[in-house]
Amino acid sequence: MGANTAETALPDTLQELAGRLTAAYAGLLTPAVVREVVQDCYQPLSNARIANYVPILVEHNSRSKLRQLSRRPDPAAPLREESDGARGHLVPTALRRLRIALTRSSA
């Protein structure tokens, strides 16, 4: 899947988010890495029945991953899940619980 395909798969609000994050991390990460992170964060939430909070969740998770990547000597290496500092919870765990709640609430 090419970079253009991944970018066009994102809704307009998330393409705007990718643009903002690309500008914010311009000296640290390439635009392709930023778009890939946004796409990866959006993918699990792309079929949420209640889509109101999806852009906010994608932005939060994307910023967290981009901060991790920008601190690492090799941004291409896989990320390890780390605590977000809030009561020891993992960000992906919290997002997974929210995703489950969103899909169940519409059923």
Side-chain angles (χ1 to χ4, degrees):
M1 179 183 283
N4 290 339
T5 306
E7 187 174 350
T8 57
L10 291 174
D12 290 341
T13 55
L14 296 179
Q15 287 183 20
E16 292 170 11
L17 169 65
R20 287 195 316 270
L21 292 175
T22 297
Y25 288 91
L28 302 170
L29 300 169
T30 65
V33 169
V34 174
R35 280 191 306 270
E36 184 178 335
V37 167
V38 172
Q39 177 69 31
D40 289 347
C41 293
Y42 171 66
Q43 184 58 38
L45 300 170
S46 63
N47 293 325
R49 290 182 181 236
I50 302 173
N52 293 347
Y53 300 107
V54 169
I56 295 167
L57 295 170
V58 170
E59 181 170 3
H60 175 76
N61 203 16
S62 295
R63 286 186 184 276
S64 175
K65 288 183 179 185
L66 290 170
R67 275 192 299 271
Q68 287 178 352
L69 284 173
S70 65
R71 289 187 206 135
R72 298 157 36 105
D74 181 13
L79 286 176
R80 187 183 65 158
E81 293 181 352
E82 295 181 15
S83 172
D84 65 354
R87 291 181 247 145
H89 294 200
L90 294 175
V91 171
T93 302
L95 289 173
R96 189 176 327 111
R97 288 179 182 157
L98 181 58
R99 192 176 330 119
I100 291 168
L102 288 172
T103 55
R104 287 184 182 168
S105 67
S106 62

Coordinates of all heavy atoms in Angstrom, one line a residue, residues 2-100:
G2 N 0.7 2.1 -0.9 CA 1.6 3.3 -1.0 C 1.1 4.4 -0.1 O 0.1 4.4 0.5
A3 N 2.0 5.4 0.0 CA 1.7 6.5 0.9 C 0.5 7.3 0.5 O -0.3 7.7 1.3 CB 2.9 7.5 1.0
N4 N 0.2 7.4 -0.8 CA -0.9 8.2 -1.3 C -2.2 7.4 -0.9 O -3.2 8.0 -0.6 CB -0.9 8.4 -2.8 CG 0.2 9.4 -3.1 OD1 0.6 10.2 -2.3 ND2 0.6 9.4 -4.4
T5 N -2.2 6.1 -1.0 CA -3.4 5.3 -0.7 C -3.7 5.4 0.8 O -4.8 5.6 1.1 CB -3.1 3.8 -1.0 OG1 -2.7 3.7 -2.4 CG2 -4.3 3.0 -0.8
A6 N -2.7 5.4 1.6 CA -2.9 5.5 3.1 C -3.5 6.9 3.4 O -4.3 7.0 4.2 CB -1.6 5.2 3.8
E7 N -2.9 7.9 2.8 CA -3.4 9.2 3.1 C -4.8 9.4 2.6 O -5.6 10.1 3.3 CB -2.5 10.2 2.4 CG -2.8 11.7 2.8 CD -1.8 12.7 2.3 OE1 -0.8 12.3 1.7 OE2 -2.1 13.9 2.4
T8 N -5.2 8.9 1.5 CA -6.6 9.1 1.0 C -7.6 8.3 1.8 O -8.7 8.6 1.8 CB -6.7 8.8 -0.5 OG1 -6.3 7.4 -0.7 CG2 -5.9 9.7 -1.4
A9 N -7.1 7.3 2.5 CA -8.0 6.5 3.3 C -8.4 7.2 4.6 O -9.4 6.8 5.3 CB -7.3 5.1 3.7
L10 N -7.7 8.3 4.9 CA -8.0 9.1 6.1 C -9.1 10.1 5.8 O -9.1 10.7 4.8 CB -6.8 9.8 6.6 CG -5.7 9.0 7.2 CD1 -4.5 9.9 7.5 CD2 -6.1 8.3 8.4
P11 N -10.1 10.3 6.8 CA -11.1 11.3 6.6 C -10.4 12.7 6.6 O -9.2 12.8 7.1 CB -11.9 11.2 7.8 CG -11.7 9.8 8.3 CD -10.3 9.4 7.9
D12 N -11.1 13.7 6.1 CA -10.5 15.1 6.0 C -9.9 15.6 7.4 O -8.8 16.2 7.4 CB -11.5 16.1 5.5 CG -11.8 15.8 4.0 OD1 -11.0 15.1 3.4 OD2 -12.9 16.3 3.6
T13 N -10.7 15.3 8.4 CA -10.2 15.8 9.7 C -8.9 15.2 10.1 O -8.0 15.8 10.7 CB -11.2 15.6 10.9 OG1 -11.5 14.2 10.9 CG2 -12.5 16.4 10.6
L14 N -8.7 13.9 9.8 CA -7.4 13.2 10.1 C -6.3 13.6 9.2 O -5.1 13.6 9.5 CB -7.7 11.8 10.2 CG -8.6 11.3 11.3 CD1 -8.8 9.8 11.3 CD2 -8.2 11.8 12.7
Q15 N -6.6 14.0 7.9 CA -5.6 14.5 7.0 C -5.1 15.8 7.5 O -3.9 16.1 7.5 CB -6.2 14.6 5.6 CG -6.3 13.2 4.9 CD -6.8 13.4 3.5 OE1 -6.7 14.4 2.9 NE2 -7.4 12.3 3.0
E16 N -6.0 16.6 8.1 CA -5.6 17.9 8.6 C -4.8 17.7 9.9 O -3.8 18.4 10.1 CB -6.9 18.7 9.0 CG -7.7 19.2 7.8 CD -9.0 19.8 8.2 OE1 -9.2 20.1 9.4 OE2 -9.8 20.1 7.3
L17 N -5.1 16.7 10.7 CA -4.3 16.3 11.8 C -2.9 15.9 11.4 O -1.9 16.3 12.0 CB -5.0 15.2 12.6 CG -4.1 14.5 13.7 CD1 -3.8 15.5 14.8 CD2 -4.8 13.3 14.3
A18 N -2.8 15.1 10.4 CA -1.5 14.6 9.9 C -0.7 15.8 9.4 O 0.5 15.9 9.7 CB -1.7 13.6 8.7
G19 N -1.3 16.8 8.8 CA -0.6 18.0 8.4 C -0.1 18.8 9.6 O 1.0 19.3 9.5
R20 N -0.9 19.0 10.6 CA -0.5 19.7 11.8 C 0.6 19.0 12.5 O 1.6 19.6 12.9 CB -1.7 19.9 12.8 CG -2.7 20.9 12.3 CD -3.6 21.3 13.5 NE -4.1 20.2 14.3 CZ -5.2 19.5 14.1 NH1 -6.0 19.7 13.0 NH2 -5.6 18.5 14.9
L21 N 0.5 17.7 12.6 CA 1.6 16.9 13.3 C 2.9 16.9 12.4 O 4.0 16.9 13.0 CB 1.1 15.5 13.6 CG 0.0 15.4 14.6 CD1 -0.5 13.9 14.7 CD2 0.5 15.9 15.9
T22 N 2.7 16.9 11.1 CA 3.9 16.9 10.2 C 4.6 18.2 10.5 O 5.9 18.2 10.6 CB 3.5 16.8 8.8 OG1 2.9 15.5 8.6 CG2 4.7 16.9 7.8
A23 N 3.9 19.3 10.6 CA 4.5 20.6 10.9 C 5.2 20.7 12.2 O 6.3 21.2 12.4 CB 3.5 21.8 10.7
A24 N 4.5 20.1 13.2 CA 5.0 20.1 14.6 C 6.3 19.2 14.7 O 7.2 19.6 15.5 CB 4.0 19.5 15.6
Y25 N 6.4 18.2 14.0 CA 7.6 17.3 14.1 C 8.5 17.4 12.8 O 9.2 16.4 12.5 CB 7.1 15.8 14.2 CG 6.5 15.6 15.6 CD1 5.2 15.8 15.9 CD2 7.4 15.2 16.7 CE1 4.7 15.6 17.1 CE2 6.9 15.0 17.9 CZ 5.5 15.2 18.2 OH 5.0 15.0 19.4
A26 N 8.4 18.5 12.2 CA 9.1 18.7 10.9 C 10.6 18.4 11.0 O 11.2 17.8 10.1 CB 8.9 20.1 10.3
G27 N 11.3 18.9 12.0 CA 12.7 18.7 12.2 C 13.1 17.3 12.8 O 14.3 17.0 12.8
L28 N 12.1 16.6 13.2 CA 12.4 15.3 13.9 C 12.0 14.1 13.1 O 12.7 13.1 13.2 CB 11.7 15.3 15.3 CG 12.1 16.5 16.2 CD1 11.1 16.5 17.4 CD2 13.5 16.4 16.7
L29 N 10.9 14.1 12.5 CA 10.4 13.0 11.8 C 9.9 13.3 10.4 O 9.5 14.5 10.1 CB 9.2 12.4 12.5 CG 9.4 11.9 14.0 CD1 8.1 11.6 14.7 CD2 10.3 10.7 14.0
T30 N 10.0 12.4 9.4 CA 9.6 12.7 8.1 C 8.0 12.7 8.0 O 7.3 12.1 8.8 CB 10.1 11.6 7.1 OG1 9.5 10.3 7.4 CG2 11.6 11.5 7.2
P31 N 7.5 13.4 7.0 CA 6.0 13.4 6.8 C 5.5 12.0 6.6 O 4.4 11.7 7.1 CB 5.8 14.3 5.5 CG 7.0 15.1 5.5 CD 8.2 14.3 6.1
A32 N 6.2 11.1 6.0 CA 5.7 9.7 5.8 C 5.6 9.0 7.1 O 4.6 8.3 7.3 CB 6.7 9.0 4.8
V33 N 6.5 9.2 8.0 CA 6.4 8.6 9.3 C 5.2 9.1 10.1 O 4.4 8.3 10.7 CB 7.7 8.8 10.1 CG1 7.5 8.3 11.6 CG2 8.9 8.0 9.5
V34 N 5.0 10.4 10.0 CA 3.8 11.0 10.7 C 2.5 10.5 10.2 O 1.6 10.1 10.9 CB 3.9 12.5 10.7 CG1 2.7 13.2 11.3 CG2 5.2 13.1 11.4
R35 N 2.4 10.4 8.8 CA 1.2 9.9 8.2 C 0.9 8.5 8.6 O -0.2 8.1 8.8 CB 1.2 10.1 6.7 CG 0.9 11.5 6.2 CD 0.7 11.6 4.7 NE 1.9 11.0 4.0 CZ 2.9 11.7 3.6 NH1 3.0 13.0 3.8 NH2 3.9 11.1 2.9
E36 N 2.0 7.7 8.6 CA 1.9 6.3 8.9 C 1.4 6.1 10.4 O 0.6 5.3 10.7 CB 3.2 5.6 8.8 CG 3.2 4.1 9.0 CD 4.5 3.4 8.7 OE1 5.3 3.9 8.0 OE2 4.7 2.3 9.3
V37 N 1.9 6.9 11.3 CA 1.5 6.8 12.7 C 0.0 7.2 12.8 O -0.8 6.5 13.5 CB 2.4 7.7 13.6 CG1 1.8 7.9 15.0 CG2 3.8 7.2 13.7
V38 N -0.4 8.3 12.1 CA -1.8 8.7 12.2 C -2.7 7.6 11.6 O -3.7 7.2 12.2 CB -2.0 10.0 11.5 CG1 -3.5 10.3 11.3 CG2 -1.3 11.1 12.2
Q39 N -2.3 7.0 10.5 CA -3.0 5.9 9.9 C -3.1 4.7 10.8 O -4.2 4.1 11.0 CB -2.4 5.5 8.6 CG -3.0 4.3 7.9 CD -4.4 4.6 7.3 OE1 -4.7 5.7 7.0 NE2 -5.3 3.6 7.3
D40 N -2.0 4.3 11.4 CA -2.0 3.2 12.4 C -2.9 3.4 13.6 O -3.5 2.5 14.1 CB -0.6 2.9 12.9 CG 0.3 2.3 11.8 OD1 -0.2 1.9 10.7 OD2 1.5 2.3 12.0
C41 N -2.9 4.7 14.1 CA -3.8 5.0 15.2 C -5.3 5.1 14.8 O -6.2 4.8 15.6 CB -3.4 6.3 15.8 SG -1.8 6.3 16.6
Y42 N -5.5 5.4 13.6 CA -6.9 5.5 13.1 C -7.5 4.1 12.8 O -8.7 3.9 13.0 CB -7.0 6.4 11.8 CG -8.3 6.4 11.1 CD1 -9.5 6.9 11.7 CD2 -8.4 5.8 9.9 CE1 -10.7 6.8 11.1 CE2 -9.7 5.8 9.2 CZ -10.8 6.3 9.8 OH -12.0 6.2 9.2
Q43 N -6.7 3.2 12.3 CA -7.1 1.9 11.8 C -8.0 1.2 12.8 O -9.1 0.7 12.4 CB -5.9 1.0 11.4 CG -6.3 -0.3 10.8 CD -7.2 -0.1 9.5 OE1 -7.0 0.8 8.7 NE2 -8.2 -1.0 9.4
P44 N -7.7 1.0 14.0 CA -8.5 0.3 14.9 C -9.9 1.0 15.2 O -10.8 0.3 15.6 CB -7.7 0.1 16.2 CG -6.4 0.6 15.9 CD -6.4 1.4 14.6
L45 N -9.9 2.3 15.0 CA -11.1 3.0 15.3 C -11.9 3.4 14.1 O -12.9 4.0 14.2 CB -10.7 4.3 16.1 CG -10.0 4.2 17.4 CD1 -9.5 5.5 17.8 CD2 -10.9 3.5 18.4
S46 N -11.5 2.9 12.9 CA -12.1 3.3 11.7 C -13.6 2.9 11.5 O -14.3 3.5 10.8 CB -11.3 2.8 10.5 OG -11.3 1.4 10.5
N47 N -13.9 1.8 12.2 CA -15.3 1.3 12.1 C -16.2 1.6 13.3 O -17.2 1.0 13.5 CB -15.3 -0.2 11.9 CG -14.7 -0.5 10.5 OD1 -14.9 0.2 9.5 ND2 -14.0 -1.6 10.4
A48 N -15.7 2.5 14.1 CA -16.5 2.9 15.4 C -17.9 3.4 15.0 O -18.0 4.2 14.0 CB -15.8 3.9 16.2
R49 N -18.9 2.9 15.6 CA -20.3 3.4 15.3 C -20.5 4.8 15.8 O -21.3 5.5 15.1 CB -21.3 2.5 16.0 CG -21.3 1.1 15.3 CD -22.3 0.2 16.0 NE -22.3 -1.1 15.4 CZ -23.4 -1.6 14.8 NH1 -24.5 -1.0 14.8 NH2 -23.3 -2.8 14.3
I50 N -19.9 5.2 16.9 CA -20.0 6.6 17.3 C -18.6 7.2 17.0 O -17.7 7.0 17.7 CB -20.3 6.6 18.8 CG1 -21.6 5.9 19.1 CG2 -20.4 8.1 19.3 CD1 -21.9 5.8 20.6
A51 N -18.6 8.0 16.0 CA -17.4 8.5 15.5 C -17.0 9.9 16.0 O -16.0 10.5 15.6 CB -17.4 8.6 13.9
N52 N -17.8 10.5 16.9 CA -17.5 11.8 17.4 C -16.2 12.0 18.0 O -15.5 13.0 17.9 CB -18.6 12.2 18.4 CG -20.0 12.4 17.8 OD1 -20.1 12.4 16.6 ND2 -21.0 12.4 18.7
Y53 N -15.7 11.0 18.8 CA -14.5 11.1 19.5 C -13.3 10.5 18.8 O -12.2 10.6 19.3 CB -14.6 10.5 20.9 CG -15.7 11.2 21.7 CD1 -16.9 10.5 21.9 CD2 -15.5 12.5 22.2 CE1 -17.9 11.2 22.7 CE2 -16.5 13.1 22.9 CZ -17.7 12.4 23.1 OH -18.7 13.1 23.8
V54 N -13.5 9.9 17.7 CA -12.4 9.2 17.0 C -11.2 10.2 16.6 O -10.1 9.9 16.9 CB -12.9 8.5 15.7 CG1 -11.8 8.0 14.8 CG2 -13.8 7.3 16.1
P55 N -11.5 11.4 16.1 CA -10.4 12.3 15.8 C -9.6 12.6 17.1 O -8.3 12.7 17.0 CB -11.0 13.5 15.2 CG -12.3 13.0 14.6 CD -12.7 11.9 15.5
I56 N -10.2 12.8 18.2 CA -9.6 13.2 19.4 C -8.7 12.0 19.9 O -7.6 12.2 20.3 CB -10.6 13.6 20.5 CG1 -11.3 14.9 20.1 CG2 -9.9 13.8 21.9 CD1 -12.5 15.2 20.9
L57 N -9.3 10.8 19.8 CA -8.5 9.7 20.3 C -7.3 9.4 19.4 O -6.2 9.1 19.8 CB -9.4 8.4 20.3 CG -10.5 8.5 21.3 CD1 -11.5 7.3 21.1 CD2 -10.0 8.4 22.7
V58 N -7.5 9.6 18.1 CA -6.4 9.4 17.1 C -5.3 10.4 17.4 O -4.1 10.1 17.4 CB -6.9 9.5 15.7 CG1 -5.7 9.5 14.7 CG2 -7.8 8.3 15.4
E59 N -5.7 11.7 17.6 CA -4.7 12.7 17.9 C -3.9 12.4 19.2 O -2.7 12.5 19.2 CB -5.4 14.1 18.0 CG -4.4 15.2 18.3 CD -4.9 16.6 18.1 OE1 -6.1 16.7 17.9 OE2 -4.2 17.5 18.3
H60 N -4.6 12.0 20.2 CA -3.9 11.7 21.5 C -2.9 10.6 21.3 O -1.8 10.7 21.7 CB -5.0 11.4 22.6 CG -4.3 10.9 23.8 ND1 -3.8 11.8 24.7 CD2 -4.2 9.7 24.4 CE1 -3.3 11.1 25.7 NE2 -3.5 9.9 25.6
N61 N -3.4 9.5 20.7 CA -2.5 8.3 20.5 C -1.4 8.6 19.5 O -0.2 8.2 19.8 CB -3.3 7.1 20.0 CG -2.7 5.8 20.3 OD1 -1.8 5.7 21.2 ND2 -3.1 4.8 19.7
S62 N -1.7 9.4 18.5 CA -0.6 9.8 17.5 C 0.5 10.6 18.2 O 1.7 10.4 18.0 CB -1.2 10.5 16.3 OG -2.1 9.7 15.6
R63 N 0.0 11.6 18.9 CA 1.0 12.5 19.6 C 1.9 11.7 20.6 O 3.1 11.9 20.7 CB 0.3 13.6 20.4 CG -0.2 14.7 19.4 CD -0.7 15.9 20.2 NE -1.3 16.9 19.3 CZ -0.6 17.8 18.7 NH1 0.7 17.9 18.9 NH2 -1.2 18.7 17.9
S64 N 1.3 10.7 21.3 CA 2.0 9.9 22.2 C 3.1 9.1 21.5 O 4.2 9.0 21.9 CB 1.1 9.0 23.0 OG 1.7 8.1 23.8
K65 N 2.7 8.4 20.4 CA 3.6 7.6 19.6 C 4.7 8.5 18.9 O 5.9 8.1 18.9 CB 2.9 6.8 18.6 CG 2.1 5.7 19.2 CD 1.5 4.8 18.1 CE 0.7 3.7 18.8 NZ 0.2 2.8 17.8
L66 N 4.3 9.7 18.5 CA 5.3 10.6 17.8 C 6.3 11.1 18.8 O 7.5 11.2 18.5 CB 4.6 11.7 17.1 CG 3.8 11.3 15.9 CD1 2.9 12.4 15.4 CD2 4.7 10.8 14.8
R67 N 5.9 11.4 20.1 CA 6.8 11.8 21.1 C 7.8 10.6 21.4 O 9.0 10.9 21.5 CB 6.1 12.1 22.4 CG 5.6 13.5 22.5 CD 5.1 13.9 23.9 NE 4.0 13.1 24.3 CZ 2.7 13.3 24.1 NH1 2.4 14.4 23.5 NH2 1.8 12.6 24.6
Q68 N 7.3 9.4 21.4 CA 8.2 8.3 21.6 C 9.2 8.1 20.5 O 10.4 8.0 20.7 CB 7.4 7.0 21.8 CG 6.7 6.8 23.1 CD 5.9 5.5 23.1 OE1 5.8 4.8 22.1 NE2 5.3 5.2 24.2
L69 N 8.7 8.3 19.3 CA 9.6 8.1 18.1 C 10.6 9.2 18.0 O 11.8 9.0 17.7 CB 8.7 8.1 16.8 CG 8.0 6.9 16.5 CD1 7.1 7.1 15.3 CD2 8.9 5.7 16.2
S70 N 10.2 10.4 18.4 CA 11.1 11.6 18.3 C 12.3 11.5 19.3 O 13.3 12.1 19.1 CB 10.4 12.9 18.4 OG 9.8 13.1 19.6
R71 N 12.1 10.8 20.4 CA 13.1 10.6 21.4 C 14.1 9.5 21.1 O 15.1 9.3 21.8 CB 12.5 10.4 22.8 CG 11.7 11.5 23.3 CD 11.3 11.3 24.7 NE 10.1 12.1 25.0 CZ 9.0 11.6 25.6 NH1 8.9 10.4 26.0 NH2 8.0 12.4 25.8
R72 N 13.7 8.6 20.2 CA 14.5 7.4 19.9 C 15.6 7.6 18.9 O 15.3 8.4 17.9 CB 13.6 6.3 19.5 CG 12.6 5.9 20.6 CD 11.3 5.3 20.0 NE 11.6 4.4 18.9 CZ 11.6 3.1 18.9 NH1 11.3 2.5 20.0 NH2 11.9 2.4 17.9
P73 N 16.7 7.0 19.0 CA 17.7 7.1 18.0 C 17.3 6.5 16.6 O 17.8 7.0 15.6 CB 18.9 6.4 18.6 CG 18.4 5.5 19.7 CD 17.1 6.1 20.1
D74 N 16.5 5.5 16.6 CA 16.1 4.9 15.4 C 14.5 4.9 15.3 O 13.9 3.9 15.8 CB 16.6 3.4 15.3 CG 16.2 2.7 14.0 OD1 15.7 3.4 13.1 OD2 16.3 1.5 13.9
P75 N 13.9 5.9 14.7 CA 12.5 6.0 14.7 C 11.8 4.8 13.9 O 10.6 4.6 14.0 CB 12.2 7.3 14.0 CG 13.5 8.1 14.0 CD 14.6 7.0 14.1
A76 N 12.5 4.1 13.1 CA 11.9 3.0 12.3 C 11.7 1.7 13.2 O 11.0 0.8 12.8 CB 12.8 2.7 11.1
A77 N 12.4 1.6 14.3 CA 12.3 0.4 15.2 C 10.9 0.4 15.8 O 10.2 1.4 16.0 CB 13.3 0.5 16.3
P78 N 10.3 -0.8 16.1 CA 9.0 -0.9 16.6 C 8.9 -0.3 18.0 O 9.8 -0.2 18.8 CB 8.7 -2.4 16.7 CG 10.0 -3.1 16.2 CD 11.0 -2.1 15.8
L79 N 7.7 0.3 18.3 CA 7.4 0.9 19.5 C 7.0 -0.1 20.6 O 6.4 -1.1 20.3 CB 6.2 1.9 19.4 CG 6.5 3.2 18.7 CD1 5.2 4.0 18.6 CD2 7.5 4.0 19.4
R80 N 7.4 0.2 21.8 CA 7.0 -0.6 22.9 C 5.9 0.1 23.7 O 6.0 1.4 23.8 CB 8.2 -0.8 23.9 CG 7.9 -1.8 25.0 CD 9.1 -1.9 25.9 NE 9.3 -0.5 26.5 CZ 9.9 -0.3 27.6 NH1 10.6 -1.3 28.2 NH2 10.0 0.9 28.1
E81 N 4.9 -0.5 24.1 CA 3.8 0.1 24.8 C 4.4 0.6 26.2 O 5.0 -0.2 26.9 CB 2.6 -0.8 25.0 CG 1.9 -1.2 23.8 CD 0.7 -2.1 24.0 OE1 0.6 -2.5 25.1 OE2 0.0 -2.3 23.1
E82 N 4.2 1.8 26.5 CA 4.6 2.4 27.8 C 3.5 3.1 28.5 O 2.5 3.4 27.9 CB 5.7 3.4 27.5 CG 7.0 2.7 26.9 CD 8.1 3.7 26.7 OE1 8.0 4.8 27.3 OE2 9.1 3.4 26.0
S83 N 3.6 3.2 29.8 CA 2.6 3.9 30.6 C 2.4 5.3 30.2 O 3.4 6.0 29.8 CB 3.0 3.8 32.0 OG 2.1 4.5 32.8
D84 N 1.2 5.8 30.2 CA 1.0 7.2 29.9 C 1.1 8.1 31.2 O 1.0 9.3 31.1 CB -0.4 7.5 29.3 CG -1.5 7.1 30.2 OD1 -1.3 6.6 31.3 OD2 -2.7 7.4 29.9
G85 N 1.5 7.4 32.3 CA 1.7 8.1 33.5 C 0.4 8.4 34.4 O 0.5 8.8 35.5
A86 N -0.7 8.1 33.8 CA -2.0 8.3 34.5 C -2.4 7.0 35.2 O -2.9 6.1 34.5 CB -3.1 8.8 33.6
R87 N -2.2 6.9 36.5 CA -2.5 5.7 37.3 C -2.0 4.4 36.7 O -2.6 3.4 36.9 CB -4.0 5.6 37.4 CG -4.6 6.7 38.3 CD -6.1 6.6 38.4 NE -6.6 7.8 37.7 CZ -7.7 7.8 37.1 NH1 -8.5 6.7 36.9 NH2 -8.1 8.9 36.5
G88 N -0.9 4.5 36.0 CA -0.2 3.3 35.5 C -0.9 2.6 34.3 O -0.5 1.5 34.0
H89 N -1.9 3.2 33.7 CA -2.6 2.6 32.6 C -1.9 2.7 31.3 O -1.2 3.7 31.1 CB -4.0 3.2 32.5 CG -4.9 2.9 33.6 ND1 -6.2 3.0 33.5 CD2 -4.7 2.5 34.9 CE1 -6.8 2.7 34.7 NE2 -5.8 2.4 35.5
L90 N -2.0 1.8 30.5 CA -1.4 1.9 29.2 C -2.4 2.6 28.2 O -3.6 2.3 28.3 CB -1.1 0.5 28.6 CG 0.0 -0.3 29.3 CD1 0.1 -1.7 28.7 CD2 1.3 0.4 29.2
V91 N -1.9 3.5 27.4 CA -2.7 4.2 26.5 C -3.5 3.2 25.6 O -4.7 3.4 25.4 CB -1.9 5.3 25.7 CG1 -2.8 5.9 24.6 CG2 -1.4 6.3 26.6
P92 N -2.8 2.3 25.0 CA -3.5 1.3 24.1 C -4.6 0.6 24.8 O -5.7 0.3 24.3 CB -2.4 0.4 23.6 CG -1.2 1.2 23.7 CD -1.3 2.0 24.9
T93 N -4.4 0.2 26.1 CA -5.4 -0.5 26.9 C -6.6 0.4 27.1 O -7.8 0.0 26.9 CB -4.8 -0.9 28.2 OG1 -3.7 -1.7 28.0 CG2 -5.9 -1.7 29.0
A94 N -6.4 1.7 27.4 CA -7.5 2.6 27.6 C -8.3 2.8 26.3 O -9.5 2.9 26.3 CB -7.0 4.0 28.1
L95 N -7.5 2.9 25.2 CA -8.2 3.1 23.9 C -9.0 1.9 23.5 O -10.1 2.0 22.9 CB -7.2 3.4 22.8 CG -6.5 4.8 22.9 CD1 -5.4 4.9 21.8 CD2 -7.6 5.9 22.6
R96 N -8.5 0.7 23.8 CA -9.2 -0.5 23.5 C -10.5 -0.6 24.3 O -11.5 -1.0 23.8 CB -8.3 -1.8 23.9 CG -8.9 -3.1 23.4 CD -7.9 -4.3 23.6 NE -6.5 -4.0 23.5 CZ -5.7 -4.0 24.6 NH1 -6.1 -4.3 25.8 NH2 -4.4 -3.7 24.4
R97 N -10.4 -0.2 25.6 CA -11.7 -0.2 26.4 C -12.7 0.7 25.9 O -13.9 0.5 25.8 CB -11.3 0.1 27.8 CG -10.6 -1.0 28.5 CD -10.2 -0.7 30.0 NE -9.5 -1.7 30.6 CZ -8.7 -1.6 31.6 NH1 -8.5 -0.4 32.1 NH2 -8.1 -2.6 32.1
L98 N -12.2 1.9 25.5 CA -13.2 2.9 24.9 C -13.8 2.4 23.6 O -15.0 2.6 23.4 CB -12.4 4.2 24.7 CG -13.3 5.4 24.2 CD1 -14.5 5.6 25.1 CD2 -12.5 6.6 24.0
R99 N -12.9 1.8 22.8 CA -13.4 1.3 21.5 C -14.5 0.2 21.7 O -15.5 0.2 21.1 CB -12.2 0.7 20.7 CG -12.5 0.4 19.3 CD -11.3 -0.1 18.5 NE -10.1 0.4 19.0 CZ -9.1 -0.4 19.5 NH1 -9.2 -1.7 19.5 NH2 -8.0 0.2 19.9
I100 N -14.3 -0.6 22.7 CA -15.3 -1.7 23.0 C -16.6 -1.0 23.5 O -17.7 -1.4 23.1 CB -14.7 -2.7 24.1 CG1 -13.6 -3.5 23.4 CG2 -15.8 -3.5 24.6 CD1 -12.8 -4.3 24.4

